[in-house]
Amino acid sequence: MAQLFFKYGAMNSGKSIEILKVAHNYQEQNKPVVLMTSGLDTRDGIGQIASRIGLKEAAVPIFEETDIFDVIKHLEFKPFCVLIDEAQFLKKEHVLALTKIVDELHIPVMAFGLKNDFRNELFEGSKYLLLYADKIEEMKTICWFCHKKAIMNLHYINGVPVYEGTQVQIGGNEAYYPVCRHHYFHPEIKENE
């Protein structure tokens, strides 16, 4: 039975490598999948899923106007699974389209993304995935500064923590640390680090 899965974690929890691993496992068995990612993430080019360890795959970019249900419904093949990276950037309409893919087309969907932003607010996509997903799983990583589980994302510019600003600020290790709650409020960052 098809289900909607939401796998979330802080920065550096291995979300992109996991989605690429899942895609590889399906493809190795000659079971086609559809890889999708947010069109907002341009770090490795539009329509690319890239892990920090260097693996990369082309993906269908999702923009605000993209009708994901229509894209999947009109494929020339029926995928065994739809895999979505950077799912936090989805809009409510996108998440509802994912539920239709599961419920009407009977295709499982696995969405991977952050739960909360650097201001510690839910992303729109994450909020609706938490509400509509059949299964929710946390992908864990450790705090940049200690041994505790990282549950937040600390944004910094020139070694200085940033807690305000526009929600969508694309970046990787050069701009974000995965941190525990204590180090979110009390980071061990030195100016010009």
Side-chain angles (χ1 to χ4, degrees):
M1 181 166 82
Q3 293 185 313
L4 174 58
F5 298 85
F6 179 40
K7 296 188 176 200
Y8 72 89
M11 300 290 291
N12 290 351
S13 61
K15 297 176 298 299
S16 295
I17 191 70
E18 179 70 15
I19 197 171
L20 294 173
K21 181 182 86 172
V22 170
H24 173 77
N25 289 343
Y26 273 103
Q27 292 162 348
E28 191 173 46
Q29 299 173 25
N30 295 314
K31 297 175 180 172
V33 298
V34 174
L35 286 165
M36 303 183 89
T37 191
S38 172
L40 295 176
D41 187 354
T42 59
R43 288 175 290 174
D44 289 288
I46 294 174
Q48 294 290 320
I49 297 175
S51 74
R52 286 181 172 75
I53 64 170
L55 296 177
K56 191 174 181 178
E57 281 278 336
V60 177
I62 301 169
F63 300 101
E64 195 164 335
E65 65 276 3
T66 302
D67 183 337
I68 301 172
F69 179 79
D70 195 56
V71 169
I72 301 302
K73 184 178 178 180
H74 291 100
L75 289 171
E76 294 179 3
F77 64 96
K78 181 177 179 179
F80 280 78
C81 190
V82 176
L83 302 165
I84 300 177
D85 200 22
E86 304 294 349
Q88 70 271 9
F89 297 137
L90 297 176
K91 299 296 181 191
K92 179 180 181 180
E93 296 76 30
H94 294 133
V95 175
L96 291 174
L98 300 180
T99 66
K100 285 178 62 179
I101 292 167
V102 170
D103 297 340
E104 296 177 24
L105 302 179
H106 310 290
I107 300 170
V109 175
M110 297 177 75
F112 296 75
L114 300 170
K115 181 181 68 172
N116 40 310
D117 65 19
F118 70 95
R119 302 170 309 176
N120 211 26
E121 300 287 337
L122 288 175
F123 284 96
E124 181 176 348
S126 304
K127 173 184 172 181
Y128 288 103
L129 283 163
L130 288 167
L131 289 170
Y132 289 107
D134 297 298
K135 292 193 177 169
I136 299 166
E137 180 183 324
E138 181 182 22
M139 297 181 69
K140 298 173 181 76
T141 192
I142 57 171
C143 177
W144 194 266
F145 303 109
C146 71
H147 63 278
K148 292 180 184 174
K149 180 175 77 168
I151 60 171
M152 298 178 184
N153 304 297
L154 180 63
H155 183 40
Y156 60 95
I157 298 173
N158 298 323
V160 178
V162 178
Y163 298 97
E164 296 178 356
T166 307
Q167 184 178 51
V168 177
Q169 299 200 22
I170 305 297
N173 289 341
E174 80 290 347
Y176 291 96
Y177 286 140
V179 294
C180 66
R181 181 176 47 249
H182 171 76
H183 283 109
Y184 178 79
F185 293 110
H186 308 286
E188 298 173 6
I189 298 177
K190 297 177 185 141
E191 188 112 12
N192 298 321
E193 187 174 67

